[in-house]
Amino acid sequence: MAPSPFPRTPPLPRTIAALLLVGTVGMLSACSSASTTSKAADANEAKEIEIGLLAPLTGPSASDGLGMKQGAELAIKQLNDAGGVAGHKFKLNSVDVQGQSNDAVTKGVQALTDNDNVKVVVTGYASTSNFEIDEFAAAEKLYLLGGNTAQTQAIVEKNPSKYPTVWSITPNYDAYGTEPVNLAEDWASKGLWKPRNKSAFIVRSDNPYSESIADGLVKQFKSKGWTIAGQEKVPFGPVNDWGTIIAKVRSANPDFIVNTDYQVSNEASFMQQFLQNPTKSLVFMQYGPNQPQFFELTKKQSDGVLFNNLAGLVPSSNYEPAAQLQKDWKAAYGSDNVDPQGVMTYVETKLYAEALRSVGDPDDAAALGAYIGKSDTRQASGRLVFDQATHLAKQGDDYVPLQSFQFQDEKKVLIAPEKYKDGTFRLPPWMK
């Protein structure tokens, strides 16, 4: 063996060598422990999923936004209290779309799509046209929504395969444009009400939701032999003075008045000003009276008002999912009057959780979207099954029912459909 070119180092005493060995092992162990702790912390942090919410938290529709926020918060609390889903817990990331302007919605969508911790976005409605559907689809982000289904259908049905992560828990709005007329005809046939000349006056707001429903009602009235005594359109946004329009209504003296401006404060002020000198007309208002704020603003003046709703709570004590949500809502918020927008975001959040429980991977948006699209579940808003051509929920008494209401004795009474109703139409007090 060739001699080493390096001088030989004398061996260390055993005690010193032992101490060095222990120190080295300790250092390695500490580094390993720190690394493990860091990885564990990262893993725990990664297990918290953010659920995005687009909602009008300020502005004229803030009461709707509050309901959306409360519904999502209640669902998240229940999921977390039960230990989470597939190893994940949840927190809400709310974005205010304010007055639903395109700029506000676009900024909100950007904030949520840029956030990798946001795995799903829920809403009752965000914009009036649902243009954001394309942005979420392009970002491959799950988007579960409720409002403006005509706009959703128009976007999705051109190429449903382009939108595998976008699903609406609300059905097509076609029934909104027919059911009030059908009910009026039914009440007349049963002698509950006698129209004088089968005339209707339509008030609409300048936005796609209001316009499409008003157009449907005009068409349905005419198909049933009614005369449209007048039509008026108001700008989208706050309307405080209805004097000019109500003067035209009084001049026309119709049998049926329809107001499709869905904003709560607008419809409440319309009703208050109409009752200063009412005509002998039925009054139907689109959506607004569903909100608790409408009754708070009108009280006894609400009696007799007709309205309807899709995808809200099915208020039947015999329907367990709705009865349970009613109890949970009261425990959380002190009222069993469940906000209809809250029902939407509650159902959407629970629907996402059911998909995650099955799929397991929160980053597999395609698999989660496919699971949701094929699901068949009983939710507080009815039996939820999706139309594959439009990505809308199916509508009907055996699916998501259109519910028609009337305020009677300062209470919200369900008067249709027959399967769920707990009361019958009455003549409004101003017509007696």
Side-chain angles (χ1 to χ4, degrees):
M1 181 180 293
S4 169
F6 302 104
R8 184 177 180 183
T9 303
L12 290 170
R14 290 185 179 179
T15 53
I16 296 176
L19 287 171
L20 287 173
L21 180 61
V22 170
T24 302
V25 171
M27 289 174 64
L28 291 172
S29 176
C31 290
S32 175
S33 176
S35 175
T36 302
T37 301
S38 175
K39 288 179 181 177
D42 290 343
N44 286 336
E45 184 177 351
K47 286 186 178 181
E48 185 172 63
I49 291 172
E50 290 186 30
I51 294 177
L53 171 70
L54 286 177
L57 300 172
T58 57
S61 298
S63 60
D64 281 358
L66 174 61
M68 295 180 204
K69 190 169 185 286
Q70 288 178 325
E73 285 177 334
L74 178 57
I76 287 171
K77 182 179 186 304
Q78 290 177 347
L79 292 168
N80 286 343
D81 287 351
V85 176
H88 301 276
K89 289 200 172 183
F90 309 93
K91 73 174 182 179
L92 189 64
N93 184 337
S94 300
V95 174
D96 185 8
V97 299
Q98 303 166 3
Q100 298 174 259
S101 70
N102 285 359
D103 285 347
V105 176
T106 299
K107 288 178 182 176
V109 171
Q110 193 68 51
L112 295 175
T113 54
D114 285 349
N115 187 339
D116 289 338
N117 292 327
V118 174
K119 306 301 183 185
V120 59
V121 178
V122 299
T123 188
Y125 57 83
S127 69
T128 58
S129 65
N130 287 359
F131 72 88
E132 71 276 6
I133 284 175
D134 276 307
E135 297 189 37
F136 283 119
E140 298 181 350
K141 186 85 74 175
L142 278 170
Y143 186 43
L144 306 179
L145 71 162
N148 305 321
T149 58
Q151 290 73 22
T152 299
Q153 179 172 339
I155 294 168
V156 172
E157 67 182 356
K158 294 174 184 176
N159 184 7
S161 63
K162 182 182 175 183
Y163 304 95
T165 60
V166 176
W167 298 94
S168 169
I169 68 160
T170 305
N172 184 291
Y173 282 168
D174 285 353
Y176 275 149
T178 58
E179 190 66 5
V181 185
N182 294 342
L183 288 175
E185 292 268 302
D186 182 57
W187 299 330
S189 70
K190 293 176 179 176
L192 299 174
W193 166 63
K194 186 177 180 180
R196 291 161 289 135
N197 50 30
K198 293 189 73 172
S199 63
F201 197 104
I202 311 292
V203 180
R204 63 179 76 202
S205 173
D206 189 13
N207 66 84
Y209 172 88
S210 176
E211 293 270 34
S212 61
I213 294 171
D215 287 345
L217 288 167
V218 169
K219 182 178 179 181
Q220 185 72 356
F221 273 120
K222 289 181 176 179
S223 74
K224 298 291 185 179
W226 289 61
T227 300
I228 304 301
Q231 293 195 65
E232 292 292 325
K233 182 189 295 188
V234 296
F236 180 58
V239 179
N240 298 315
D241 185 3
W242 292 94
T244 301
I245 288 176
I246 289 177
K248 293 179 180 180
V249 170
R250 288 177 180 139
S251 177
N253 194 23
D255 288 309
F256 205 125
I257 300 167
V258 173
N259 188 334
T260 66
D261 183 339
Y262 66 88
Q263 295 181 89
V264 179
S265 59
N266 288 356
E267 293 192 317
S269 61
F270 177 91
M271 198 62 211
Q272 290 164 337
Q273 292 170 47
F274 168 76
L275 287 176
Q276 292 172 11
N277 184 17
T279 55
K280 290 188 178 298
S281 316
L282 300 183
V283 176
F284 172 85
M285 293 187 166
Q286 181 63 37
Y287 177 73
N290 284 287
Q291 284 290 352
Q293 184 190 7
F294 181 88
F295 180 75
E296 292 169 8
L297 291 170
T298 57
K299 299 295 184 184
K300 288 184 178 180
Q301 292 173 314
S302 66
D303 271 7
V305 171
L306 300 163
F307 55 105
N308 57 23
N309 191 39
L310 267 172
L313 186 84
V314 177
S316 172
S317 58
N318 296 324
Y319 186 58
E320 191 276 331
Q324 185 61 54
L325 177 55
Q326 205 163 26
K327 292 177 185 176
D328 294 343
W329 194 274
K330 185 169 185 178
Y333 303 117
S335 171
D336 56 8
N337 188 3
V338 184
D339 189 289
Q341 293 295 329
V343 175
M344 288 190 195
T345 53
Y346 178 90
V347 168
E348 289 160 1
T349 303
K350 287 298 186 79
L351 190 64
Y352 168 71
E354 290 169 19
L356 180 61
R357 184 174 288 111
S358 176
V359 174
D361 182 0
D363 291 316
D364 195 345
L368 291 163
Y371 180 92
I372 290 170
K374 294 175 182 177
S375 62
D376 184 343
T377 61
R378 294 172 74 248
Q379 303 288 349
S381 55
R383 180 185 168 203
L384 196 54
V385 178
F386 294 98
D387 179 347
Q388 300 304 303
T390 62
H391 291 198
L392 303 180
K394 292 185 178 182
Q395 191 265 324
D397 292 356
D398 294 327
Y399 293 99
V400 177
L402 175 64
Q403 303 168 70
S404 296
F405 300 90
Q406 185 180 38
F407 276 115
Q408 298 177 0
D409 303 324
E410 301 182 49
K411 293 180 181 179
K412 177 179 171 180
V413 178
L414 182 63
I415 56 176
E418 192 72 28
K419 181 176 180 177
Y420 295 112
K421 74 175 189 176
D422 57 8
T424 304
F425 163 79
R426 296 181 189 172
L427 274 180
W430 64 84
M431 291 181 67
K432 293 179 180 178

